[in-house]
Amino acid sequence: MLISSSYSLISTFNSWLSSGNILLNILALIAYGIFISIILSVYDYLFGWAERKIIAKVQLRHGPTYVGKFGILQNLADVIKLLAKEHIVPDTADKFLYAIGLPAMMAISVLLVLVLPFSPYLQATNLALGLLFVLVLLSFMPLFIFVSAYSTGNKFADISAQRSVLMMLSYELPMLIVLASVALLSKSFNIAGIISAQSTGWFVWLMPIGFIVFFVAMLAELERPPFDFLEADSELIAGWLTDYSAPYYALSLFLDYTRMLFGSLIMAILFFGGWSGPFLPPIIWLLIKAVIISLFIIIIRTTLVRMRIDRMLKFGWVWMLPLSLVNLIITYMVFIH
Amino acid sequence: MHLMRVVIDVPVRINVGPIHPSTHGVLRLVVDVEGDKIENMEAHIGFLHRGVEKLLENRMYMQACPHMEKLDYFAPMSYDELYVAAVEQAYGIELKEKAMYVRTILLELQRIASHLASIGFLCNDIGQLFTAFMWSFKDRDMVLKLLEAATGTRMFYVNMRIGGLVRDLPPGFEDSAIELLDYLSKRIPAYEKYLEKNPVFMERNKGIGVISRDEAKNLGITGPVLRGSGVSYDIRKNKPYYVYEKLNFRIQVRNEGDNFARYKVRMLELRESIRIVREALKKMPPEGSAVGMPIRLIGPPVKNKITITERELPRGECMIYLVADPQRPYRAYIRSANFINLSAIEEMCKGQRFADIFSIIGGLDMVMADVDK
């Protein structure tokens, strides 16, 4: 009942979008925005809680237990606390850049929604070059980390900024080449096209090397361990976030999980057949896949030691880049040629 | 312009600490970095100075034990024992055999607890999210529980008296100790498997903070750090005390002199300590009491006016130079292994990467309370 009514709702909105009436178009987009916000908030909130619980289980602890059942309201309490605290802007900060850095990153993350579809009927646009758009948005991230880090005027943040450039050099290129081989294999830059090309077999089976390289690059993109050089808590205190306090810090936490959601969604779409799957509605399938990938990312966090930044550069150029090229060549020779 | 300032200041001078997540307390390192490389480094200490040596001069002999314990809060009993042994030497008191065995057992259990903690800290410092830390602390806690059964407290024991201990080992101690040792001898290979098969862990420790054999000797480094640099020196063997002569164990030495060697020496010493405790439990005379003298305000006449007592503590060789008066020490100088070992940090860090500072601190196993005294 719920599914069929939601389908009728979606088709109503879609008809509004294609009606040509500007007012109806705007209404449909607002409805889509509300839907995305709900998904984002629920995911961010639940993963904020789940990450603490999972890590606690691995570490033989309990995690949050007091606030709400199983401590599920703990993060809400934390966010309320952070919002209530004094927001301190350091004297050394470049006030303008300091103010826009984190919100800009959040905006860029959310912009990914424009091209990432949740189901065949639930998407904002259907760009022909959607994959390129994703890549452009992803490469904006290190730039804004760099800007926010320098804007605080903190020396630990300065080191973090230098590291962000080094890191971008090491993982961006392999990631791009893997994306190229995905486009080559599906003969399309369109996200829906990539998903329909996987109806015969997921790309993770067709190019496992490519997936591994992409996954590692994605971990680096998301600043997840073992590549959390920028926030390296035992070295740089909190890296580029050292001087961000109260509401901005809450925003950074929110940003962290939002990026993880989009990272997982991109991987689910490019390698795990996106929304395709039997019985359940497409959006459920896509979210299930994304959640499993996110859980995997969290479990990696509990076990691995942080790499060193210069080794990361070496790792990127000596291993990831050749492997991604090998993947591209194999893809071309086996599946296209 | 703000951005310009950053470009001009090369090398950048950074204050690491005294408030920093992984300087093991209040160590302040002034580091000059060019990019990620350490050009120069200077260690500043003294933020936790409490004047323990002066405190000892103002207390009766047996009132000073709690102060000694707080020097190294990961091996409090070892420091307690060092001080009491110094007082015993001043008074010329011999221990009963049972008391010697019990002290040896408790000290080795304390060493196990301390080394387990240090392995957890090392993993934490090189950026693992508390997992190995929590696991090793769980195992350390089991050792602490056994020590609690033996002494009555979990952490600061104050369990030594002149001529023995406060109380005998409780009934059933041997069985629970052997049970614990069996468990630990299964856990230690598990740690090694978990850490040494992890390429990133090896990368972060191999070849980091190398200090050569000669340099280590010149700087006066002791303990696992010295043995990691290939010098076979251990007070338990070289100047044996208590029953260490009668027990069968080896000095564990590695020749690399890097951070991994220090970690590995600790791992091997854990095994040796387990062996020592097992053997001591077997050889311990079943009868007799280990209880020492009750606390008296006015002690017996001092036999040796000036004494030097050395002990192998978990973090290295510690020494007390004691000038004794009848009631209280006239002067007590403490040579703490941590302070001397810390003097090597500038040598070790020069030319390394910024991230390596923290693996080196973890490898040195600093306790700042001990450094600052």
Side-chain angles (χ1 to χ4, degrees):
Chain A
M1 217 281 281
L2 191 72
I3 290 171
S4 62
S5 64
S6 60
Y7 267 126
S8 63
L9 203 64
I10 289 165
S11 57
T12 319
F13 286 136
N14 276 335
S15 66
W16 284 3
L17 268 177
S18 51
S19 67
N21 186 333
I22 291 174
L23 201 67
L24 283 182
N25 265 353
I26 290 171
L27 271 179
L29 282 178
I30 287 173
Y32 191 63
I34 290 169
F35 164 77
I36 294 296
S37 321
I38 290 170
I39 287 201
L40 263 182
S41 336
V42 170
Y43 176 94
D44 288 1
Y45 190 80
L46 285 183
F47 264 85
W49 171 76
E51 179 159 28
R52 294 171 82 162
K53 273 301 204 194
I54 290 169
I55 290 175
K57 279 281 170 287
V58 175
Q59 296 177 351
L60 317 166
R61 300 185 282 119
H62 292 293
T65 48
Y66 287 103
V67 192
K69 192 85 178 156
F70 306 117
I72 191 132
L73 296 178
Q74 181 66 52
N75 281 25
L76 189 65
D78 288 350
V79 167
I80 290 170
K81 182 201 77 175
L82 282 174
L83 292 180
K85 285 185 116 175
E86 187 191 356
H87 180 213
I88 302 163
V89 182
D91 273 351
T92 49
D94 185 319
K95 304 287 182 301
F96 176 67
L97 292 179
Y98 183 88
I100 65 157
L102 273 171
M105 284 176 73
M106 192 70 200
I108 290 168
S109 293
V110 176
L111 267 184
L112 276 168
V113 171
L114 276 180
V115 281
L116 289 185
F118 282 93
S119 85
Y121 312 105
L122 266 176
Q123 48 187 325
T125 59
N126 195 3
L127 287 182
L129 294 176
L131 197 60
L132 278 186
F133 191 74
V134 168
L135 192 74
V136 168
L137 288 182
L138 285 182
S139 41
F140 261 115
M141 280 304 189
L143 176 73
F144 273 94
I145 290 178
F146 188 84
V147 167
S148 343
Y150 265 142
S151 74
T152 58
N154 182 307
K155 282 177 183 172
F156 288 104
D158 283 359
I159 294 182
S160 187
Q162 291 165 6
R163 286 182 176 195
S164 80
V165 177
L166 273 178
M167 218 166 122
M168 194 172 72
L169 287 176
S170 59
Y171 73 78
E172 201 96 306
L173 203 53
M175 197 176 192
L176 186 101
I177 293 170
V178 175
L179 282 180
S181 40
V182 167
L184 188 68
L185 197 52
S186 57
K187 297 193 182 65
S188 165
F189 272 105
N190 183 321
I191 301 279
I194 290 169
I195 292 172
S196 64
Q198 294 180 60
S199 55
T200 49
W202 292 354
F203 285 173
V204 65
W205 311 129
L206 301 184
M207 40 185 202
I209 304 172
F211 172 68
I212 290 165
V213 171
F214 191 80
F215 186 76
V216 172
M218 207 38 150
L219 281 182
E221 162 77 38
L222 299 175
E223 290 171 48
R224 282 269 152 183
F227 307 117
D228 56 338
F229 313 107
L230 306 188
E231 279 176 58
D233 53 343
S234 63
E235 296 158 23
L236 301 180
I237 304 181
W240 60 283
L241 288 169
T242 305
D243 270 345
Y244 281 99
S245 57
Y248 272 78
Y249 189 66
L251 185 62
S252 83
L253 291 177
F254 196 54
L255 177 69
D256 200 22
Y257 291 107
T258 309
R259 287 168 76 192
M260 193 162 89
L261 169 65
F262 286 119
S264 315
L265 276 178
I266 291 170
M267 275 190 273
I269 287 169
L270 296 185
F271 292 97
F272 292 94
W275 59 61
S276 58
F279 310 124
L280 294 171
I283 180 165
I284 304 286
W285 268 115
L286 186 64
L287 285 179
I288 286 175
K289 287 168 185 172
V291 163
I292 289 171
I293 293 168
S294 304
L295 288 176
F296 193 60
I297 292 173
I298 287 177
I299 287 169
I300 284 177
R301 186 181 177 198
T302 60
T303 47
L304 280 183
V305 172
R306 185 182 309 115
M307 277 178 95
R308 224 171 61 188
I309 183 72
D310 55 320
R311 306 273 179 159
M312 172 67 192
L313 199 62
K314 207 173 148 192
F315 181 69
W317 286 89
V318 174
W319 287 102
M320 281 160 72
L321 186 63
L323 278 177
S324 61
L325 285 172
V326 165
N327 178 58
L328 184 66
I329 292 164
I330 291 176
T331 310
Y332 181 73
M333 297 301 277
V334 177
F335 300 108
I336 309 295
H337 189 60
Chain B
M1 272 294 289
H2 170 70
L3 288 176
M4 288 300 288
R5 179 191 63 75
V6 176
V7 176
I8 292 162
D9 290 356
V10 166
V12 182
R13 173 162 288 191
I14 300 177
N15 265 307
V16 179
I19 301 164
H20 187 279
S22 49
T23 49
H24 289 216
V26 283
L27 172 63
R28 175 175 171 229
L29 300 169
V30 179
V31 191
D32 291 341
V33 286
E34 193 164 344
D36 219 21
K37 203 169 184 187
I38 298 162
E39 291 283 299
N40 203 3
M41 172 196 247
E42 210 173 299
H44 293 245
I45 58 168
F47 293 94
L48 202 55
H49 179 63
R50 289 145 297 155
V52 172
E53 288 171 6
K54 199 73 193 165
L55 285 172
L56 299 192
E57 290 169 21
N58 290 311
R59 270 157 183 76
M60 311 284 173
Y61 279 111
M62 294 318 286
Q63 284 179 321
C65 288
H67 287 284
M68 290 301 292
E69 293 208 330
K70 267 101 190 168
L71 280 177
D72 182 349
Y73 37 80
F74 281 106
M77 197 187 284
S78 311
Y79 251 117
D80 193 7
E81 189 273 334
L82 167 67
Y83 174 72
V84 173
V87 178
E88 279 163 2
Q89 212 189 335
Y91 282 148
I93 292 169
E94 287 291 318
L95 259 72
K96 287 171 276 188
E97 201 189 357
K98 171 93 174 181
M100 288 209 250
Y101 271 103
V102 173
R103 276 195 188 180
T104 309
I105 290 165
L106 292 180
L107 289 179
E108 287 306 315
L109 285 172
Q110 183 72 85
R111 189 184 309 276
I112 291 172
S114 171
H115 279 359
L116 279 172
S118 92
I119 285 156
F121 277 127
L122 174 64
C123 292
N124 212 9
D125 287 343
I126 59 177
Q128 201 210 24
L129 191 94
F130 286 97
T131 304
F133 176 84
M134 292 300 294
W135 291 10
S136 67
F137 262 58
K138 188 193 163 226
D139 291 345
R140 169 177 173 266
D141 217 65
M142 295 173 82
V143 182
L144 293 192
K145 270 185 189 138
L146 188 70
L147 288 175
E148 187 182 2
T151 65
T153 35
R154 214 179 134 267
M155 199 150 163
F156 294 115
Y157 309 98
V158 199
N159 193 42
M160 300 291 167
R161 289 274 183 279
I162 293 172
L165 294 103
V166 174
R167 51 178 80 76
D168 271 320
L169 290 179
F173 178 85
E174 282 176 45
D175 295 335
S176 46
I178 284 174
E179 199 180 313
L180 174 75
L181 294 178
D182 287 341
Y183 169 77
L184 284 178
S185 34
K186 264 184 236 144
R187 289 292 292 170
I188 289 160
Y191 282 119
E192 283 186 331
K193 196 176 148 199
Y194 170 67
L195 294 173
E196 287 166 30
K197 292 212 168 149
N198 183 339
V200 190
F201 178 84
M202 300 298 276
E203 211 169 62
R204 287 297 304 273
N205 284 302
K206 280 229 162 192
I208 304 296
V210 179
I211 192 139
S212 71
R213 197 188 147 94
D214 293 334
E215 267 177 314
K217 273 184 176 173
N218 287 344
L219 286 164
I221 291 170
T222 48
V225 185
L226 179 72
R227 294 192 280 276
S229 291
V231 184
S232 173
Y233 178 75
D234 189 325
I235 305 283
R236 290 176 293 171
K237 272 278 191 223
N238 293 43
K239 297 171 192 167
Y241 49 96
Y242 298 150
V243 291
Y244 282 111
E245 265 174 309
K246 299 176 195 164
L247 302 173
N248 181 25
F249 71 101
R250 278 179 299 169
I251 306 179
Q252 295 295 348
V253 179
R254 298 276 293 193
N255 291 321
E256 297 94 326
D258 59 0
N259 221 18
F260 180 74
R262 285 163 221 150
Y263 149 83
K264 195 70 192 171
V265 164
R266 290 201 181 92
M267 274 296 186
L268 296 169
E269 279 187 7
L270 278 173
R271 292 197 169 89
E272 291 299 321
S273 290
I274 289 173
R275 260 174 78 186
I276 293 172
V277 179
R278 273 189 210 281
E279 206 184 337
L281 280 171
K282 227 177 268 170
K283 287 188 177 167
M284 185 167 64
E287 285 89 31
S289 161
V291 179
M293 290 159 50
I295 298 173
R296 292 201 202 99
L297 289 182
I298 300 168
V302 174
K303 281 215 181 98
N304 308 313
K305 182 77 178 159
I306 296 174
T307 54
I308 289 176
T309 314
E310 289 159 296
R311 287 287 186 267
E312 185 72 27
L313 263 60
R315 280 164 185 77
E317 177 194 347
C318 288
M319 187 195 85
I320 285 191
Y321 166 84
L322 190 78
V323 183
D325 268 356
Q327 258 182 319
R328 57 183 73 166
Y330 174 75
R331 172 82 172 101
Y333 166 77
I334 304 163
R335 178 218 197 264
S336 70
N338 266 316
F339 174 68
I340 312 274
N341 290 358
L342 182 66
S343 66
I345 197 169
E346 291 165 21
E347 199 74 39
M348 286 171 176
C349 285
K350 216 161 272 177
Q352 301 280 359
R353 300 284 169 160
F354 187 75
D356 292 334
I357 299 174
F358 307 101
S359 46
I360 288 167
I361 293 176
L364 283 175
D365 194 12
M366 302 313 314
V367 170
M368 287 312 289
D370 189 14
V371 174
D372 294 340
K373 290 201 280 273

